[in-house]
Amino acid sequence: MTYLQYQVKALTRRVEAFESGAVYTSMREDYRKMLQAEEGTIRKLKHRKIWEQTNDDVIKDCNSQLAEKDRELARMQKRIYELMDQRDEAKEKSVQLRHELYEAQTRIEELEGQNHALHAQINRDYENSSKPSSQSPDRIHRKKTRRTERS
């Protein structure tokens, strides 16, 4: 019986607390605090979702820019290879032209030597050769002009 009396007393106090409104006020305050905590969690999740979307957008943008840069790099590498081929062709052409120039200069030197020898041969007379003056072309020419003058 004492046990039941204690339970009745406890329940009576609870009923009095409900009737006075203190429990409702306490319960309402606890509910408000829980609601604020949940709203804070929701705000954080919304902010996080927005941040993740923004982050995803930035990553997509970066990836598209990287892809464009990769395409540009591939074009530049192709152009470099083309220019290297052109450079190699130009080097080969330069070597060929130098060879032709060397051959032309060698031929010019040979012709200048022949020219010099022919000029020396033309300019020889009895004064700078072992040829007697009677065989000089000038003397023969002079004799012919004297004869025509006398006649």
Side-chain angles (χ1 to χ4, degrees):
M1 189 114 150
T2 341
Y3 173 73
L4 289 174
Q5 288 174 346
Y6 285 124
Q7 266 189 332
V8 168
K9 255 186 179 184
L11 289 174
T12 306
R13 277 189 233 136
R14 283 179 90 186
V15 169
E16 288 173 358
F18 275 105
E19 286 175 349
S20 71
V23 173
Y24 287 120
T25 307
S26 172
M27 286 175 65
R28 189 175 284 178
E29 186 61 30
D30 289 343
Y31 176 75
R32 189 185 60 77
K33 287 179 183 177
M34 285 182 2
L35 187 61
Q36 284 179 344
E38 289 300 316
E39 286 175 351
T41 304
I42 291 170
R43 276 194 305 274
K44 286 179 184 176
L45 289 173
K46 283 182 180 178
H47 287 297
R48 183 175 187 150
K49 186 176 182 179
I50 291 170
W51 180 84
E52 287 175 351
Q53 287 174 346
T54 304
N55 194 30
D56 289 345
D57 291 344
V58 168
I59 289 172
K60 283 180 186 178
D61 188 41
C62 286
N63 287 338
S64 67
Q65 287 179 3
L66 284 174
E68 178 60 32
K69 294 295 180 187
D70 288 344
R71 287 189 293 274
E72 185 177 344
L73 180 62
R75 283 191 303 267
M76 291 175 130
Q77 286 175 333
K78 183 180 177 185
R79 180 67 178 141
I80 285 171
Y81 291 133
E82 290 172 358
L83 290 173
M84 288 172 70
D85 289 344
Q86 289 176 2
R87 180 202 61 197
D88 292 343
E89 290 173 7
K91 280 183 177 180
E92 290 174 12
K93 181 84 173 176
S94 174
V95 167
Q96 180 184 0
L97 289 174
R98 279 193 207 125
H99 183 69
E100 290 175 8
L101 176 65
Y102 175 77
E103 288 177 355
Q105 286 175 334
T106 304
R107 181 71 178 137
I108 287 171
E109 288 177 7
E110 289 173 1
L111 291 174
E112 284 179 345
Q114 287 177 357
N115 190 16
H116 181 68
L118 290 172
H119 275 293
Q121 202 174 22
I122 289 173
N123 291 331
R124 259 193 217 135
D125 60 8
Y126 68 94
E127 293 175 356
N128 60 8
S129 74
S130 60
K131 204 168 34 168
S133 64
S134 62
Q135 289 182 358
S136 169
D138 281 343
R139 182 173 174 160
I140 294 171
H141 180 64
R142 276 189 246 141
K143 280 184 180 180
K144 285 182 182 177
T145 55
R146 284 187 195 156
R147 282 186 201 158
T148 54
E149 289 176 2
R150 289 186 189 159
S151 315

